[in-house]
Amino acid sequence: MNLKSKIVFAAVVAALSIGAANAAPMVVKFSHVVAEGTPKGQAALKFKELAEKMLPGKVQVQVFPSSQLFGDAKEMEAVLLGDVQFIAPSLSKFSRYTKKLQVFDLPFLFDDIEAVDKFQHSADGKALLNSMTSKGIKGLGYWHNGMKQLSTDKDQLKRPDDVKGLKFRIQASDVLEAQFRAVGSNPQKMAFSEVYQALQTGVVDGQENTWSNIYSQKFYEVQKTIAQTNHGVIDYMVITNAKWWDGLPADIRKGLEQAMDEATAYGNGIANEFNERDRKRILEAGKAKIQVLSKDDVGAWRKAMEPVWKKFEGEIGKELIQSALKANK
Ligand code: LMR
């Protein structure tokens, strides 16, 4: 190398290293529909904290709660279009991409969140994370919220007869639609961000949700009775665009994967506690009353909703339902 080439070489090396040092971090967006003070809200923030710690200067995670960036209607398309990198929809919202996840919506299938967790960690549960790869969606993990309770603007909510003819907001799920029809109510699919107003103005009479969502969305302020039914579950799948994920530099993918695993463990560890805390807060607020049901009452709901299982057995698969049932003690 003569002197001139040496100088040019040194300049190129210097320019490249300055470029590398100044390279802006990759910005990835995480959008969700709930409040920050919920299990999902906290898990998303934990993911940001860990990802930025594990990939310093390489990745910046922006978290958008409360449907600020995308609500229920648009978030899946946004992932496929690359407008957002991570979302964590409720398992009830995937039926356009797979029918298998409908198993989580079958009423009274899981005894409690421990059973849900056990099924998610089984071979069949893990396989569901990849049930949408042909549609371009990759599941990175399951996040817990908790068991669902039923609420209405009426005084009595003990037996299936108490909801006859009432209008209920539901998530976009055919199973949930059938569940409410089975007890003689009128279900209406609606985005999460619209529920409070619909309850307040009487567009619907009731809804079903977890304690943490009922508290953080203030549904308890516009409902008279919340029945402790634990009749189903609201859990989430964190998803990303499969092509984008597979195309990431290996070190970044590895860091994000690790951050996701740790955030998942963190969020799933606090979910029960958050729901219990919010149940107490609702009780203390003294606005809606909490109706605790007897074994007999719960049995009546279970029996009334039972036909839903048969209706969806074909789409979900008998074996998968049996496999989920095995997770109960
Ligand atoms: C709902 O729509 O009620 C829930 O799925 C919202 C959520 O993400 O917890």
Side-chain angles (χ1 to χ4, degrees):
M1 226 188 261
N2 62 26
L3 186 61
K4 201 173 155 202
S5 328
K6 274 186 186 160
I7 291 169
V8 171
F9 181 71
V12 168
V13 169
L16 282 176
S17 48
I18 289 167
N22 288 344
M26 173 193 272
V27 174
V28 297
K29 295 180 184 166
F30 194 131
S31 170
H32 65 82
V33 301
V34 293
E36 282 193 338
T38 58
K40 179 161 63 179
Q42 289 298 301
L45 289 173
K46 182 57 87 180
F47 171 66
K48 170 186 168 64
E49 178 196 317
L50 292 168
E52 290 177 356
K53 200 159 105 192
M54 287 172 190
L55 298 163
K58 291 188 179 173
V59 163
Q60 186 199 344
V61 182
Q62 296 176 347
V63 181
F64 300 89
S66 304
S67 309
Q68 277 165 17
L69 188 61
F70 296 107
D72 284 332
K74 290 266 158 52
E75 61 177 8
M76 304 262 191
E77 286 88 340
V79 167
L80 292 171
L81 290 169
D83 293 335
V84 63
Q85 284 66 49
F86 301 102
I87 60 172
S90 137
L91 296 168
S92 313
K93 295 175 182 169
F94 285 100
S95 64
R96 267 168 60 199
Y97 302 96
T98 174
K99 299 291 180 204
K100 300 270 171 220
L101 288 173
Q102 292 183 128
V103 68
F104 287 98
D105 274 348
L106 293 178
F108 294 104
L109 186 137
F110 296 105
D111 288 346
D112 48 34
I113 203 75
E114 285 71 32
V116 176
D117 188 81
K118 198 165 154 201
F119 173 60
Q120 289 169 348
H121 282 91
S122 70
D124 286 335
K126 282 190 206 154
L128 292 176
L129 292 170
N130 290 319
S131 59
M132 297 176 282
T133 40
S134 65
K135 308 272 163 59
I137 294 172
K138 182 174 176 58
L140 296 173
Y142 291 105
W143 283 6
H144 292 328
N145 187 337
M147 302 308 281
K148 285 185 292 191
Q149 321 301 337
L150 214 54
S151 74
T152 67
D153 57 359
K154 306 287 179 254
D155 282 321
Q156 184 70 352
L157 187 50
K158 259 173 110 62
R159 310 285 288 196
D161 269 356
D162 297 330
V163 297
K164 260 210 176 99
L166 298 188
K167 288 177 275 177
F168 278 89
R169 175 271 171 170
I170 54 165
Q171 305 176 78
S173 154
D174 292 348
V175 179
L176 299 181
E177 187 167 41
Q179 171 194 283
F180 278 101
R181 292 226 187 276
V183 290
S185 330
N186 301 314
Q188 201 171 315
K189 292 177 181 171
M190 190 183 289
F192 186 58
S193 58
E194 293 165 20
V195 183
Y196 178 85
Q197 209 185 352
L199 292 170
Q200 191 188 32
T201 55
V203 167
V204 290
D205 305 293
Q207 62 87 48
E208 53 169 13
N209 232 304
T210 61
W211 295 114
S212 69
N213 279 347
I214 294 172
Y215 178 74
S216 56
Q217 297 298 314
K218 299 190 166 54
F219 296 162
Y220 68 98
E221 291 186 355
V222 286
Q223 295 280 265
K224 273 198 185 148
T225 310
I226 307 168
Q228 192 164 312
T229 49
N230 292 310
H231 63 283
V233 62
I234 290 191
D235 258 24
Y236 311 108
M237 191 188 288
V238 189
I239 59 162
T240 189
N241 182 314
K243 207 168 152 199
W244 173 78
W245 182 258
D246 292 339
L248 283 172
D251 62 326
I252 294 196
R253 191 171 52 242
K254 198 160 167 265
L256 290 176
E257 203 164 39
Q258 202 182 332
M260 186 59 73
D261 288 349
E262 289 185 27
T264 299
Y266 171 79
N268 289 351
I270 60 168
N272 265 345
E273 191 188 305
F274 269 48
N275 278 297
E276 270 313 302
R277 179 200 67 187
D278 290 344
R279 181 186 182 279
K280 278 200 198 97
R281 286 171 166 174
I282 292 168
L283 209 55
E284 279 159 21
K287 294 206 162 154
K289 75 167 181 284
I290 295 179
Q291 193 145 41
V292 178
L293 305 187
S294 69
K295 251 196 167 149
D296 189 57
D297 294 332
V298 175
W301 287 98
R302 184 187 282 268
K303 189 156 184 288
M305 291 175 171
E306 213 170 61
V308 177
W309 287 37
K310 261 260 149 333
K311 191 163 191 263
F312 289 89
E313 195 178 78
E315 284 185 1
I316 298 169
K318 251 188 190 169
E319 299 74 27
L320 193 59
I321 298 175
Q322 285 310 316
S323 171
L325 271 172
K326 266 196 244 143
N328 293 324
K329 276 141 278 189

